[in-house]
Amino acid sequence: MTLSDCKYGSNTQTDHSHRLHSLPMAENYEKRPIRTFFDFRHTNMSENLVVKWGPLLSLTQLRSFSKVKVVSFLMGLTLTFLVMASYILTWDKKGSLFTPSPDHFRPVVVLTSTAADEVSSEKKLIDMKSLVKNISSKLEYTPRKVPDKKDIIETDSRLFSVIPRHFLPGIKSPCWYEEFSSELSTDPYKRNLFTLRSKSFKTVCDHLKTNFHQHLHHRDSKLFRLRCLPFFYIIGQPKCGTTDLFHRLLLHPEVKFNTMKEPHWWTRKRFGYIRFKDGFQESFPVEDYLDLFDLAAHNIQKEISGNSSGDHRTLQLITGEASASTMWDNQAWSYLHGDREETEPPFLAQDFIHTVQPGAKIIIMLRDPVERLYSDYLYFKMANKSAEDFHQKVIESVQLFQSCLSERSLRSCVYNTSLSNAMPVRLNLGMYIIFLLDWLTVFHREQILVLRLEDYAANLNVTIKKVFDFLSVGPLSEQVEVALTKRPMSNTRRVADRNLGPMLPATRDFLREFHQPLNHKLASVLDNKAFLWSNT
């Protein structure tokens, strides 16, 4: 138990004990008498009565007096033992023999008798067969109507005024020239909000600004800077190996000039959110996002200006990012437009990405949703983790989802921000098919590469080659290939979390049954039975 656990546990126990027994506070214990079960003082005796013993007691009187005391002492000791035994033997049960339930002393919510009856049996709460049948029936729905391009542009006119409709020919990355303002001549990254939250990016910016003017393009007595968008996006999912994949890709000479893995710009920061629980903070302008790809832009500009070493592969440099929230997180709309009656977000992140960059390459890394959820729980929950606690949180989350599904569509429940915030584990993130179908409404199937973490872990070289082929990058040298293979895994499970062991078999079976119809639909859409995860 941590110090904080001790602190809160102690406060809770003292508070409940005082309420239940009306005992004096700890600091007054030495000043005030306390009546216990074993207080043998006569309540009617005068406080001023002085008891005086005779100088001598007869042997008979002494023996009689001693027997009374011994019997009383033994009775009290027996009673104390029974009380303590009841605590020890029934601590995790409904109650003890002679004392209030120990749950009164724990920092948990004490259920009313009605609520206790409602949660007495998981089978009574969740009819899994009916729930699975309901999910299966609601999986067959009409694809969403993609918003008109005009409406998308009007929603964020600033974004579309900065990024042009067409990009420079002859350059693989989506790049264009932007007129450079003299106001930024001393430090073009001075106002960039990402530099305030990333020391590594701040270091990159400090390096770039030292020779920034050497990378400007001169035309018609004006100065222009080369701007680039990511060529590819690794969009999800969390705890599916996206961090490791991204860092291995950076070992390729055509991909290496990337500075930040997860800017979360399309889903959060452009709306002014970093963590939704912290509320609105400050919107990150699109210019700040574009600065993230200046390292690649500067190297491309070198080749365009003829100042490079003559390696024309520089024009083939590509940029990318790997925000694991891009696939699924559209909660910003509910915070910004909470007064609207829509049960589903009117716009999705992919609507904006596709509008500015219809040729973008999308990479998705998935894993068995059952294992993903447990990994997510271990990574994001900081204290009091256990397989039993995870099981309880899974049950609660499925109950909440079942309740939503009884009134709304499957897609509405998956995107529902209130439900997502209420669920103690992020159950909805494993419903991959709902998010994938929405990405397929704007991007062609050949623009989306879907991978499995299980395949990536089992045969790294084959999976990485598949990614490189998808991105149309050149073959690796033998030296780079060896470095890529030997690179340690990124973002692995912490030692303390590994020591907790796997989830309970009952939890795994429960979640596997829940995800079965969703996985079946996913495997059907991808035409790959491996996405059933039936062998994991």
Side-chain angles (χ1 to χ4, degrees), residues 318-361:
I318 59 174
T319 56
E321 62 128 296
S323 300
S325 64
T326 309
M327 181 177 182
W328 62 274
D329 190 354
N330 289 276
Q331 297 183 70
W333 292 103
S334 62
Y335 290 98
L336 294 171
H337 307 286
D339 55 335
R340 295 188 180 183
E341 295 183 358
E342 290 105 330
T343 58
E344 300 169 10
F347 301 95
L348 301 177
Q350 54 263 42
D351 297 332
F352 296 90
I353 295 174
H354 181 266
T355 302
V356 300
Q357 193 182 350
K361 296 274 191 175

Side-chain angles (χ1 to χ4, degrees), residues 223-238:
L223 296 175
F224 295 86
R225 66 189 294 187
L226 189 68
R227 287 294 210 177
C228 298
L229 276 169
F231 177 78
F232 67 92
Y233 298 84
I234 302 176
I235 64 172
Q237 285 290 65

Side-chain angles (χ1 to χ4, degrees), residues 123 163 166 193 196 305 311 422 425 530 536:
K123 293 183 179 179
I163 300 176
H166 303 284
L193 295 176
L196 303 177
S305 302
D311 186 358
V425 290
T536 55

Side-chain angles (χ1 to χ4, degrees), residues 353-371:
I353 295 174
H354 181 266
T355 302
V356 300
Q357 193 182 350
K361 296 274 191 175
I362 308 299
I363 300 174
I364 302 173
M365 183 87 94
L366 304 177
R367 74 189 290 188
D368 182 350
V370 176
E371 298 298 335

Side-chain angles (χ1 to χ4, degrees), residues 121-133:
S121 171
E122 293 172 7
K123 293 183 179 179
K124 291 180 181 178
L125 287 167
I126 302 173
D127 183 349
M128 186 55 78
K129 288 186 178 180
S130 297
L131 177 57
V132 168
K133 185 177 180 181

Side-chain angles (χ1 to χ4, degrees), residues 143-246:
R144 77 179 186 114
K145 184 180 181 301
V146 179
D148 294 334
K149 183 181 289 186
K150 177 176 175 290
D151 295 332
I152 296 172
I153 293 173
E154 287 179 353
T155 302
D156 194 344
S157 58
R158 174 64 182 165
L159 170 65
F160 295 98
S161 68
V162 172
I163 300 176
R165 302 295 175 86
H166 303 284
F167 304 119
L168 292 174
I171 300 176
K172 188 173 179 179
S173 286
C175 301
W176 68 97
Y177 282 116
E178 173 188 283
E179 186 172 355
F180 182 67
S181 172
S182 59
E183 297 177 2
L184 301 174
S185 58
T186 55
D187 185 359
Y189 306 106
K190 182 178 181 180
R191 302 173 186 171
N192 189 296
L193 295 176
F194 283 104
T195 62
L196 303 177
R197 298 183 175 274
S198 171
K199 291 182 179 179
S200 60
F201 181 60
K202 176 68 165 59
T203 302
V204 171
C205 290
D206 289 342
H207 168 72
L208 291 175
K209 73 181 180 181
T210 58
N211 56 358
F212 184 84
H213 286 79
Q214 298 177 20
H215 299 96
L216 295 177
H217 176 66
H218 298 261
R219 188 179 65 198
D220 300 330
S221 301
K222 294 181 180 179
L223 296 175
F224 295 86
R225 66 189 294 187
L226 189 68
R227 287 294 210 177
C228 298
L229 276 169
F231 177 78
F232 67 92
Y233 298 84
I234 302 176
I235 64 172
Q237 285 290 65
K239 308 313 298 172
C240 290
T242 59
T243 299
D244 191 78
L245 173 62
F246 181 75

